Amino acid sequence: MGLVHGHAHSGSLSSGGGSTLLGYIGIDTIIEQMRKKTMKTGFDFNIMVVGHSGLGKSTLVNTLFKSQVSRRSAGWARDEKIPKTIEIKAVSHVLEEGGVKMKLTVVDTPGFGDQINNDNCWEPISKYINEQYEKFLKEEVNITRKKRIPDTRVHCCLYFISPTGHSLRQLDVEFMKRLSHSVNIIPVIAKSDTMTIEERQEFKQRVRKELEMGGIEFYPQKEFDEDMEDKSDNDKIREAMPFAVVGSDKEYQVNGKRVLGRKTAWGIVEVENPNHCEFALLRDFLIRSHLQDLKEVTHNIHYETYRAKRLNENGGLHPISTNDTQESNL
Amino acid sequence: MIERPETAVPSIAQRNLEGYVGFANLPNQVYRKSVKRGFEFTLMVVGESGLGKSTLINSLFLTDLYSKDYPGPSQRIKKTVQVEQSKVLIKEGGVQLTLTIVDTPGFGDAVDNSNCWQPVINYIDSKCEDFLNAESRVNRRSMPDNRVHCCLYFIAPSGHGLKPLDIEFMKRLHDKVNVIPLIAKADTLTPEECQLFKKQIMKEIQEHKIKIYEFPDTEDDGDHKLIRKIKEKMPLAVVGSNVVIEVNGKKVRGRQYPWGVAEVENGEHCDFTVLRNMLIRTHMQDLKDVTNNVHYENYRSKKLAAVTCNGVDTSKTKGQLTNRSPLAQMEEERREHVMKMKKMEAEMEQVFEMKVKEKKQKLKDSEAELERRHEQMKRNLEAQYKELEEKRRVFEDEKANWEAQQRILEQQKLDASKTMEKNKKKGKIF
């Protein structure tokens, strides 16, 4: 009541009978409160990397988080070559930065598309994704629920495209078509140090056209843009996708700085140099700007779709009480 | 009596010449003849889309076999594996080379790649067959040699090892054609990665007992070292480029990256020069010879053994050759033939019987049909006839009626006139 001097904020409510506040109440401190809470609880983020063998998936994941995320547990020496992945493995690590804890889980998939006959090779991956949704659904439907349901759902799927320079392979198109409705797919051009800048531009355009023709909606999906600001931001990103990346976990000295890169006989490819490749763009996109959005889209849209489908079939799930007592009256 | 030396194997005595005879000129004569004739070479390139096969061919022969205007096979999306060949005639220093490049677009591109090697095998076999037929003709004047002399197999630079498809393909083709495995787009790999990858590939090749083309050992010391160096570098890691870039004032073929230029012809950057020298400058003739003497002979003996199965000379014991005497063979064949004839006759009889029965049945059916129709028509006719009769009767009745009426009318008229006359007579005149 009355005017409070000091903070001359005039906050206005945007919906439902907006009335301008006559003074500073302090509603905006909720952001600070949320921040404190998040810092305490930390949050989960699950990435899945999919693509043919030998496209540098495991290497890229290491590069993304600047630490040996994929193989730390086995105690590999830093300079050893990362061996071939043979089964779907989820490796979790807790990373901390600026007081914020993040439990990062990387789901590394064995190079699919390696066999001679690759029919249905997307099925193990599809199954894995659905299994995670199922786990979450079961927890949610419980009568006594846990305070914080452990979230193992795949928030983001990085799909690695082979840098052939011509077009997408049939297998790529099939895979993305089938999975773009159950998970956020971010296509990425792997090993892009194979292509010169012009080849890269041409390839990207062609890939984008093919994705459009195949009706594949990759993240950020056009249909989920909420307002003009979102749309313009996301449009810019969509124009630049798929990102052409190079991964490396070795450091070299360039111009007095230590950078992550690949040393070849004709020069050093710097991973974080935007003139060389778009790794920095991908990292910013994934971690610095759209992390929360990825989680939200997964939770609000993909998970809900799965849930609706599940509950509609066979009359739905029955809630399970954690005490496991059987209700014997019928 | 002339004494003949009784030597089982005639020994060739070596003698020294006392002057210059001149047959040292023989190689020159051969050379001149060959140059006039020109050379032929068929090169096959196999590998998945986008591995730079067309670019490499262009770089190897320094011509644009696949120019930007004519879209090479890799630009077109293929659903099935095709085998395409393009011939080109190149001249250098008076020597003509008819180069045939066989490309296999669509190899390994589908989701299900089982048997994608089959069209390739069929192609190679068909070319060998053509040559075999040409060789066996009466008139052998022109024998074009279209056999595939060398197959460059492109391995994707994954850094891990060979894919199951690679292994399958090479296993099936290593005894039909000279297979030279290459690591494509080698500028993806750093030198260390390249070494590891090569070692891994060679290990797998040995594990699966794949026979890739081996360079023949020569007695020459200089050549020997060269060959050993090449052998260590197998499989060759190549980079191709259609573009000429200027580096330090020199024009080189290369690929321009923001971090440097990968030169195609620089031995430290990739093994392209090794490949080119080996393929064209030193071992082209050897590839042709191996194709002719080893792979073609394999094919030929297998083919002939399957066809004739006569006890041919036991030195060619490839495949299943039965050593039976020709007479017994002929008896056997005759008996088989007779049996076959009898069987065929019996079959034909059966077929004939069946056909006759069918025909009879058909005729009966049509007869019955005709009968039925005849009956029906007769009945129709009768019905119509009856109708007609009926109508006629009705008509007659009517006619009778009408006539009766007429007569009555007539009678009435007569009566009327009579009464009129009577009345007239009675004097009642109107």
Side-chain angles (χ1 to χ4, degrees):
Chain A
M1 180 53 224
L3 296 165
V4 176
H5 305 280
H7 301 279
H9 290 272
S10 49
S12 57
L13 302 166
S14 51
S15 64
S19 53
T20 44
L21 300 172
L22 299 171
Y24 175 67
I25 300 182
I27 298 177
D28 56 357
T29 57
I30 190 153
I31 297 181
E32 185 64 30
Q33 299 172 28
M34 274 176 66
R35 203 174 82 85
K36 281 215 199 108
K37 271 268 160 95
T38 318
M39 275 177 68
K40 262 201 248 158
T41 55
F43 52 102
D44 301 340
F45 190 56
N46 307 323
I47 304 185
M48 174 182 258
V49 281
V50 185
H52 285 250
S53 250
L55 282 183
K57 301 185 287 291
S58 310
T59 315
L60 189 76
V61 171
N62 283 350
T63 322
L64 209 54
F65 295 97
K66 270 202 178 160
S67 55
Q68 292 272 17
V69 170
S70 281
R71 287 276 174 274
R72 207 200 268 157
S73 45
W76 292 96
R78 241 181 162 228
D79 291 326
E80 252 184 56
K81 188 167 105 81
I82 297 178
K84 213 170 157 179
T85 322
I86 25 179
E87 45 178 9
I88 296 188
K89 253 200 220 195
V91 180
S92 297
H93 293 272
V94 176
L95 307 172
E96 194 176 321
E97 189 183 62
V100 179
K101 280 205 221 63
M102 174 162 86
K103 178 160 170 263
L104 171 74
T105 309
V106 176
V107 183
D108 210 341
T109 57
F112 82 139
D114 277 351
Q115 304 307 313
I116 295 180
N117 184 348
N118 292 316
D119 282 341
N120 301 329
C121 63
W122 45 77
E123 270 178 18
I125 295 172
S126 193
K127 207 166 71 134
Y128 180 85
I129 292 176
N130 286 343
E131 269 172 20
Q132 308 312 311
Y133 285 149
E134 184 70 24
K135 261 198 242 170
F136 196 82
L137 183 64
K138 281 218 169 65
E139 289 288 336
E140 223 188 24
V141 159
N142 257 345
I143 295 179
T144 44
R145 298 199 278 204
K146 295 201 191 123
K147 192 160 98 150
R148 203 172 153 249
I149 305 177
D151 192 358
T152 55
R153 298 170 296 185
V154 177
H155 297 128
C156 157
C157 174
L158 291 177
Y159 188 81
F160 283 66
I161 298 174
S162 216
T164 60
H166 290 304
S167 59
L168 281 178
R169 294 171 152 196
Q170 220 184 332
L171 185 57
D172 296 341
V173 176
E174 285 295 312
F175 181 91
M176 283 200 269
K177 258 201 212 165
R178 282 156 207 277
L179 262 79
S180 59
H181 297 294
S182 44
V183 75
N184 295 322
I185 292 191
I186 297 184
V188 160
I189 299 177
K191 293 200 171 179
S192 65
D193 54 344
T194 319
M195 299 189 286
T196 62
I197 304 282
E198 303 87 41
E199 290 170 358
R200 188 197 293 174
Q201 288 298 99
E202 268 181 44
F203 186 49
K204 272 214 238 184
Q205 266 183 0
R206 236 174 285 156
V207 168
R208 262 206 303 273
K209 210 164 49 163
E210 284 203 10
L211 288 175
E212 222 180 278
M213 279 201 320
I216 298 169
E217 280 278 341
F218 51 86
Y219 180 86
Q221 291 96 335
K222 286 205 187 113
E223 42 189 351
F224 305 145
D225 284 339
E226 281 164 1
D227 52 30
M228 282 317 290
E229 196 187 313
D230 260 356
K231 193 159 139 58
S232 71
D233 280 340
N234 286 346
D235 269 345
K236 266 196 276 204
I237 293 175
R238 278 190 283 260
E239 277 305 303
M241 279 175 94
F243 296 118
V245 296
V246 174
S248 168
D249 45 10
K250 294 205 183 70
E251 287 187 0
Y252 295 98
Q253 194 91 347
V254 169
N255 295 340
K257 279 193 302 168
R258 284 199 71 78
V259 284
L260 287 171
R262 287 171 64 72
K263 184 154 185 216
T264 59
W266 46 89
I268 298 186
V269 186
E270 292 169 45
V271 166
E272 284 169 317
N273 186 335
N275 294 334
H276 290 189
C277 76
E278 294 174 349
F279 171 77
L281 270 179
L282 174 70
R283 183 196 51 203
D284 291 347
F285 171 67
L286 206 53
I287 302 182
R288 293 181 196 175
S289 51
H290 283 71
L291 192 98
Q292 186 58 27
D293 189 48
L294 278 164
K295 290 181 66 170
E296 277 182 18
V297 172
T298 310
H299 181 68
N300 295 338
I301 295 168
H302 295 300
Y303 173 65
E304 288 299 314
T305 320
Y306 178 80
R307 184 173 172 276
K309 201 171 60 146
R310 258 319 246 118
L311 295 180
N312 270 336
E313 66 183 37
N314 300 338
L317 291 171
H318 300 289
I320 316 161
S321 69
T322 49
N323 300 349
D324 253 355
T325 51
Q326 295 261 351
E327 313 221 314
S328 56
N329 51 339
L330 269 162
Chain B
M1 285 265 274
I2 308 166
E3 274 194 344
R4 288 183 204 250
E6 292 182 298
T7 44
V9 177
S11 58
I12 303 174
Q14 205 173 4
R15 294 207 203 287
N16 289 329
L17 297 172
E18 286 161 24
Y20 175 69
V21 179
F23 58 79
N25 216 17
L26 250 136
N28 285 348
Q29 298 176 21
V30 173
Y31 168 79
R32 258 184 283 138
K33 276 233 161 128
S34 326
V35 168
K36 252 201 278 180
R37 232 192 348 232
F39 294 90
E40 292 171 315
F41 192 68
T42 307
L43 182 65
M44 175 182 262
V45 279
V46 185
E48 291 165 1
S49 269
L51 283 181
K53 305 187 287 289
S54 317
T55 316
L56 189 76
I57 301 288
N58 284 351
S59 310
L60 267 177
F61 296 99
L62 292 179
T63 55
D64 282 333
L65 256 62
Y66 298 115
S67 65
K68 285 219 192 297
D69 306 325
Y70 170 70
S74 43
Q75 299 282 16
R76 295 171 258 143
I77 311 168
K78 294 265 184 270
K79 284 281 157 81
T80 57
V81 183
Q82 321 255 322
V83 180
E84 293 181 353
Q85 77 176 27
S86 42
K87 264 201 193 340
V88 98
L89 180 65
I90 37 187
K91 279 203 199 150
E92 193 184 54
V95 178
Q96 265 188 182
L97 176 66
T98 308
L99 179 68
T100 312
I101 306 282
V102 181
D103 204 333
T104 54
F107 180 84
D109 282 343
V111 178
D112 181 1
N113 289 314
S114 337
N115 296 328
C116 64
W117 46 78
Q118 201 55 45
V120 177
I121 293 183
N122 289 346
Y123 179 84
I124 295 176
D125 280 346
S126 79
K127 290 291 172 231
C128 280
E129 186 168 334
D130 287 346
F131 193 78
L132 181 62
N133 288 340
E135 222 183 23
S136 328
R137 271 208 301 254
V138 173
N139 183 353
R140 294 200 294 190
R141 200 142 305 158
S142 71
M143 257 194 335
D145 185 3
N146 285 327
R147 295 170 295 187
V148 179
H149 297 121
C150 173
C151 176
L152 295 176
Y153 187 77
F154 285 70
I155 300 172
S158 63
H160 285 308
L162 287 175
K163 291 207 269 233
L165 180 62
D166 299 338
I167 297 174
E168 265 309 308
F169 180 86
M170 287 202 275
K171 266 215 248 190
R172 280 164 202 272
L173 261 83
H174 65 163
D175 53 5
K176 289 188 189 284
V177 74
N178 297 319
V179 175
I180 299 183
L182 297 174
I183 299 178
K185 293 201 171 177
D187 51 349
T188 319
L189 303 165
T190 64
E192 302 89 35
E193 291 170 356
C194 201
Q195 283 299 96
L196 281 167
F197 190 41
K198 283 187 185 180
K199 275 212 204 94
Q200 178 70 22
I201 291 181
M202 285 316 278
K203 200 168 71 151
E204 290 191 16
I205 284 181
Q206 272 160 15
E207 249 176 54
H208 292 272
K209 300 212 193 18
I210 296 173
K211 293 186 276 215
I212 56 176
Y213 174 69
E214 276 179 20
F215 299 89
D217 288 322
T218 57
E219 286 102 33
D220 243 357
D221 238 358
D223 270 356
H224 199 67
K225 264 198 255 172
L226 187 69
I227 288 177
R228 215 156 19 116
K229 260 206 297 186
I230 297 178
K231 280 198 185 170
E232 279 170 24
K233 287 193 179 182
M234 289 288 272
L236 300 170
V238 292
V239 176
S241 172
N242 285 332
V243 178
V244 177
I245 301 176
E246 197 157 316
V247 170
N248 297 339
K250 260 196 317 168
K251 281 197 181 284
V252 283
R253 269 193 179 230
R255 289 174 65 73
Q256 174 107 45
Y257 294 112
W259 49 87
V261 175
E263 294 170 36
V264 164
E265 286 167 353
N266 186 333
E268 289 174 22
H269 290 188
C270 71
D271 298 330
F272 174 79
T273 33
V274 176
L275 174 70
R276 187 186 52 197
N277 291 347
M278 185 271 289
L279 197 58
I280 302 177
R281 294 180 193 174
T282 50
H283 286 83
M284 193 180 251
Q285 189 56 38
D286 186 60
L287 283 165
K288 289 175 73 168
D289 286 339
V290 172
T291 310
N292 192 27
N293 298 340
V294 176
H295 298 298
Y296 174 66
E297 288 301 313
N298 273 354
Y299 173 82
R300 186 170 172 278
S301 44
K302 269 200 220 142
K303 190 91 197 297
L304 292 180
V307 167
T308 58
C309 215
N310 274 337
V312 203
D313 53 312
T314 48
S315 58
K316 281 205 187 150
T317 44
K318 287 220 176 273
Q320 309 91 347
L321 284 168
T322 52
N323 295 349
R324 273 193 256 171
S325 76
L327 276 172
Q329 191 66 23
M330 291 215 305
E331 261 303 312
E332 176 83 32
E333 278 187 10
R334 202 173 65 80
R335 257 181 285 135
E336 267 184 44
H337 186 80
V338 166
M339 259 185 14
K340 225 177 19 167
M341 285 287 125
K342 278 217 198 112
K343 215 168 59 159
M344 270 174 64
E345 214 182 305
E347 270 181 27
M348 280 174 44
E349 287 261 354
Q350 250 186 5
V351 172
F352 183 68
E353 285 282 339
M354 223 175 46
K355 283 214 173 138
V356 166
K357 247 198 297 189
E358 262 184 47
K359 194 78 184 191
K360 271 207 203 146
Q361 186 67 19
K362 252 208 305 200
L363 283 168
K364 256 201 272 188
D365 280 345
S366 65
E367 210 184 310
E369 178 78 23
L370 279 168
E371 279 279 339
R372 206 169 46 82
R373 279 219 259 155
H374 180 75
E375 283 295 306
Q376 211 183 24
M377 278 177 66
K378 226 170 55 171
R379 261 182 274 136
N380 269 358
L381 207 62
E382 279 189 19
Q384 278 188 3
Y385 201 62
K386 276 204 204 118
E387 233 184 272
L388 208 61
E389 281 286 330
E390 187 74 35
K391 279 208 183 135
R392 178 175 266 245
R393 236 181 346 100
V394 167
F395 176 67
E396 293 284 323
D397 280 347
E398 270 194 36
K399 190 164 146 191
N401 273 355
W402 188 77
E403 281 191 357
Q405 274 192 2
Q406 284 295 95
R407 259 183 269 130
I408 293 179
L409 268 168
E410 285 254 351
Q411 197 69 17
Q412 280 185 351
K413 246 209 269 195
L414 230 70
D415 282 349
S417 64
K418 262 197 207 146
T419 49
M420 256 184 52
E421 282 207 12
K422 240 198 274 183
N423 286 350
K424 232 166 95 176
K425 275 192 186 152
K426 283 189 184 165
K428 286 186 179 159
I429 308 165
F430 287 85

